[in-house]
Amino acid sequence: MQNEQLFPHSVSMKDRASVDITGVTDVEKFDESIIVARTDLGKLTVKGSGLKVISLDIDTADKSLRIEGRINSLEYSNSGRSKNESIVSKLFG
């Protein structure tokens, strides 16, 4: 059995103009309309317009990400860290 550390995760949005996220282990994709962040609880996709990564600090205990722009949606998918995740999905997912 693998002993993985789970990082505390929270999302705080203000006026649909900024979002602070903790527990981010990686950012897989980012541009002005979409940002995909990986957390221990799954991938978090932020969609909007004029999105900018203001800060990313995955080397501290908070593992924080701050995004600014017009935020239209936040969506989780179940493709975060999983004990049953195959090597193929890790390579190509």
Side-chain angles (χ1 to χ4, degrees):
M1 185 167 170
Q2 192 174 359
N3 194 8
E4 293 186 38
Q5 177 175 353
L6 298 177
F7 297 102
H9 176 63
S10 68
V11 176
S12 174
M13 184 168 31
K14 183 174 181 182
D15 299 330
R16 290 182 64 179
S18 68
V19 64
D20 292 308
I21 307 165
T22 63
V24 174
T25 57
D26 192 18
V27 173
E28 295 183 357
K29 175 182 178 176
F30 63 94
D31 62 35
E32 290 186 354
S33 62
I34 189 170
I35 297 173
V36 180
R38 184 176 291 274
T39 75
D40 282 335
L41 301 178
K43 284 185 185 177
L44 175 59
T45 302
V46 180
K47 293 181 182 178
S49 59
L51 298 178
K52 295 180 234 167
V53 174
I54 300 302
S55 64
L56 172 63
D57 193 355
I58 58 174
D59 295 326
T60 63
D62 284 344
K63 302 204 173 293
S64 63
L65 170 64
R66 171 171 275 208
I67 299 168
E68 290 184 356
R70 175 67 174 171
I71 298 162
N72 294 331
S73 71
L74 300 168
E75 180 180 330
Y76 284 93
S77 64
N78 291 332
S79 54
R81 290 185 187 173
S82 169
K83 294 177 186 173
N84 299 324
E85 190 174 10
S86 73
I87 185 117
V88 173
S89 68
K90 287 180 184 177
L91 291 173
F92 300 107

